[in-house]
Amino acid sequence: MTRNRKILLSLLLIGAASALAGFGTFSAFSSTTANSGNSFAAGTVFVDDNDAGSAMYTVSNQKPLVSTVKCLKVTYGGTMAADVKLYTTSTVGAVADYIDLTVEKGSGNPTFPNCTGFSAESTIYSGELDDFVSTKNSYANGIAAFPGVQTQWNQNDTLVYRFTLTLQDDNNANGGATPLSTGSHAFTWEARNQ
């Protein structure tokens, strides 16, 4: 065997022995710790109402100065504190300019869409239906209302909204031979966490 080969073989053996010795030293001095049981879950934002998919009102052949009064209960089921706002993205027909709309917030447990048992707390909107549609048409300019004197909605909070719609005594509202109509429209409640 040549001298270079012997030196190389010797270095390899010394390196292997050093590695084994280092491994032995590491295993002789070892310590660990653990942090177990970790979990992560998102909070929820969820709002629902008691309409079961039905319209709050369907009015035809309405007389002037006769009011339609309907109630809807909104329940917040989210785990995070939230703001809930009322608005509409609907368009409405010409008669909306002659319909006075009042929206009140309150409490109670009325059976949709009736208002029996409703207890009013305050009026949150009063004006014409067409003004509501043009000024309360997104979350940004929607009407914030909170249960009681709270400043946020918490899980299982409820609020009852009473809608009163009255056709004005204005000859322009009758539409002549063809009655004016609002057309189908919707009210939206949107919750966003604070």
Side-chain angles (χ1 to χ4, degrees):
M1 197 184 270
T2 67
R3 184 170 184 224
N4 286 344
R5 273 188 145 176
K6 286 181 184 180
I7 292 173
L8 184 60
L9 185 59
S10 296
L11 288 174
L12 284 173
L13 288 173
I14 292 171
S18 296
L20 288 174
F23 179 74
T25 302
F26 176 74
S27 64
F29 298 103
S30 176
S31 176
T32 63
T33 186
N35 173 257
S36 60
N38 299 297
S39 67
F40 189 101
T44 60
V45 174
F46 178 74
V47 66
D48 199 13
D49 63 53
N50 68 336
D51 69 8
S54 300
M56 190 169 21
Y57 54 85
T58 303
V59 179
S60 61
N61 205 31
Q62 183 75 331
K63 294 180 181 178
L65 303 180
V66 174
S67 294
T68 296
V69 180
K70 300 295 179 182
C71 284
L72 182 135
K73 182 166 80 171
V74 173
T75 301
Y76 182 69
T79 60
M80 301 171 67
D83 290 333
V84 176
K85 292 188 180 181
L86 166 65
Y87 62 92
T88 184
T89 57
S90 297
T91 56
V92 290
V95 78
D97 191 34
Y98 306 101
I99 296 174
D100 292 327
L101 171 66
T102 301
V103 183
E104 299 164 278
K105 75 168 193 164
S107 60
N109 198 23
T111 302
F112 177 82
N114 299 312
C115 293
T116 303
F118 173 78
S119 178
E121 294 174 2
S122 65
T123 298
I124 58 174
Y125 180 82
S126 183
E128 292 178 351
L129 178 58
D130 66 330
D131 291 336
F132 184 92
V133 169
S134 64
T135 62
K136 307 300 178 195
N137 54 19
S138 70
Y139 181 86
N141 59 21
I143 300 169
F146 301 96
V149 295
Q150 294 176 200
T151 58
Q152 66 185 24
W153 286 68
N154 299 305
Q155 191 170 33
N156 300 320
D157 280 346
T158 62
L159 191 60
V160 180
Y161 294 80
R162 180 166 63 185
F163 289 73
T164 303
L165 298 101
T166 307
L167 184 63
Q168 298 170 4
D169 189 8
D170 187 320
N171 285 337
N172 294 316
N174 71 7
T178 304
L180 296 177
S181 170
T182 62
S184 178
H185 53 277
F187 294 99
T188 300
W189 285 262
E190 183 178 345
R192 292 189 184 182
N193 68 292
Q194 294 184 334

